[in-house]
Amino acid sequence: MAKSKGRPKRPRPQSESEPITVEGDMPQKRFYRSRAHCNPLSFNENFDYPTRPDLFDWTEDHYPNHPSLSSHEETKQDDVISAFQSLSSARPNVLDVGCGFGGLTLALSPLLPHHTILGLEIRAKVTEYVRLRIVAHRKEHPGQYQNCSVLRTNAMKYLVHYFPGGSLDKIFFCFPDPHFKKKNHPRRIVSERLLTEYAYLLKPGGKLYCITDVKDLHDWHVDKCSAHPLFVGCSEEEMEADPCVELMRTETEEGKKVEREGRFGHDKYYMVYKRVDEKVKSGVTPENFFESGQFGVELFDNEKKG
């Protein structure tokens, strides 16, 4: 009797203590799948986080061979100032929030060789997959991908514990959970409160990237970011000239899934916002502060409403 040609059985570890993936081998995604999203506001699993950003050692687990560390190899162990400079030189300045399976995190590494990229993910299994994927890329390409890593945390709660103000160059939000129900809108990763936190973390001139395949969520992003006084939208020309935008559109797993399946259509809606330098004089004056369009202000005609 002929055997059916179905999907081959998954190889399983011989014992519970044996890891699914050997360190340095490329992990198989099917062993690390998890629910697509979770509620970050009610997620009650405890996370370890530093009390201050300067107390976290990024070189220990994340960037042990970071390119910037070569200049600190001759630093004496008792030189406290040099030690702190070494730690801060490896601190991430590009965040891929909700990095999923790490497609964009890895793609940004060779594109931004002088930056330090960190993917943030709340799901344990997915975080482990990205970590193993980065280790495998480092093994396959010696000397490369040393400037990218992944961290499991809740980005809606703990960012300020890891990063000081004005330390980030770029923040990416790629295909976040739409949270369609109105009662769940506070769970969205872009909101008035969180935008103020992102503005605090970004350097003046730093960029915030948003992309989604849900038109309503894109409109939400545009509405919230455009109304915030510390963000200004980039022009079409600026976005077209930014290579990060193309990677954001093509290298994420969700982006590829949109092209492949298109649950909400095959369109991808994106926008990039630049962090305003509040020290630079703007065109806002006491006379025009409350004019329509300034900081999202809308004026209503009381006569028409009456």
Side-chain angles (χ1 to χ4, degrees):
M1 187 174 181
K3 295 183 179 180
S4 61
K5 296 181 180 180
R7 176 181 292 183
K9 292 184 178 181
R10 300 178 180 180
R12 296 190 177 277
Q14 297 179 358
S15 65
E16 293 183 359
S17 60
E18 184 180 347
I20 297 175
T21 304
V22 178
E23 196 90 1
D25 290 350
M26 188 64 69
Q28 298 183 53
K29 189 184 296 184
R30 59 183 177 176
F31 295 126
Y32 298 90
R33 294 195 181 278
S34 181
R35 291 186 60 182
H37 303 287
C38 69
N39 178 6
L41 298 183
S42 65
F43 197 77
N44 55 9
E45 187 170 338
N46 292 327
F47 288 95
D48 293 328
Y49 55 88
T51 55
R52 298 202 321 260
D54 58 335
L55 298 179
F56 191 78
D57 185 359
W58 291 101
T59 63
E60 184 175 358
D61 296 322
H62 294 276
Y63 309 100
N65 299 306
H66 192 279
S68 67
L69 297 179
S70 59
S71 60
H72 298 280
E73 289 180 352
E74 300 179 357
T75 300
K76 298 181 180 179
Q77 293 183 356
D78 58 349
D79 191 339
V80 178
I81 296 178
S82 296
F84 271 108
Q85 290 176 344
S86 177
L87 295 180
S88 61
S89 66
R91 181 187 294 125
N93 51 18
V94 176
L95 300 185
D96 181 11
V97 179
C99 66
F101 290 99
L104 180 63
T105 302
L106 281 161
L108 288 171
S109 177
L111 179 68
L112 305 173
H114 302 297
H115 289 72
T116 306
I117 297 96
L118 181 69
L120 301 177
E121 179 56 52
I122 197 171
R123 297 166 293 175
K125 290 173 66 176
V126 178
T127 304
E128 178 63 6
Y129 172 85
V130 179
R131 186 190 73 81
L132 290 168
R133 189 179 177 187
I134 292 173
V135 171
H137 273 75
R138 289 175 177 176
K139 180 180 178 181
E140 185 178 352
H141 307 278
Q144 299 183 41
Y145 298 99
Q146 300 294 338
N147 65 330
C148 69
S149 185
V150 64
L151 173 71
R152 182 173 180 242
T153 190
N154 188 335
M156 293 184 71
K157 295 182 178 181
Y158 305 121
L159 286 185
V160 293
H161 290 274
Y162 288 98
F163 310 103
S167 63
L168 300 180
D169 290 316
K170 302 175 186 291
I171 303 178
F172 291 86
F173 300 105
C174 300
F175 302 95
D177 191 337
H179 293 292
F180 289 107
K181 295 180 180 179
K182 187 174 182 179
K183 68 176 183 179
N184 294 334
H185 285 181
R187 301 179 187 177
R188 289 179 170 177
I189 194 66
V190 173
S191 65
E192 293 92 340
R193 178 185 66 83
L194 290 173
L195 280 171
T196 298
E197 187 170 300
Y198 305 148
Y200 165 76
L201 296 172
L202 282 167
K203 299 175 182 177
K207 293 181 178 180
L208 185 147
Y209 298 75
C210 301
I211 186 171
T212 179
D213 59 326
V214 180
K215 183 63 167 62
D216 288 344
L217 183 60
H218 172 68
D219 293 339
W220 169 280
H221 291 164
V222 172
D223 179 57
K224 301 303 177 185
C225 294
S226 299
H228 199 284
L230 292 179
F231 286 102
V232 61
C234 293
S235 65
E236 290 290 340
E237 291 75 15
E238 289 177 305
M239 289 191 290
E240 190 173 332
D242 188 343
C244 292
V245 172
E246 182 62 22
L247 287 187
M248 177 177 69
R249 295 176 62 249
T250 59
E251 293 299 324
T252 65
E253 280 71 18
E254 284 296 323
K256 295 175 182 178
K257 187 176 180 181
V258 170
E259 295 177 357
R260 193 170 59 247
E261 301 177 10
R263 180 182 176 188
F264 302 105
H266 296 281
D267 293 326
K268 301 173 187 177
Y269 308 96
Y270 60 90
M271 189 63 192
V272 182
Y273 288 87
K274 190 179 297 183
R275 168 67 158 86
V276 173
D277 187 352
E278 63 270 26
K279 295 181 181 179
V280 177
K281 184 178 179 181
S282 67
V284 181
T285 65
E287 289 74 23
N288 69 6
F289 186 87
F290 290 106
E291 288 185 3
S292 180
Q294 291 287 6
F295 304 120
V297 172
E298 295 183 27
L299 298 182
F300 297 93
D301 190 342
N302 291 331
E303 293 182 359
K304 293 182 179 179
K305 290 178 66 177

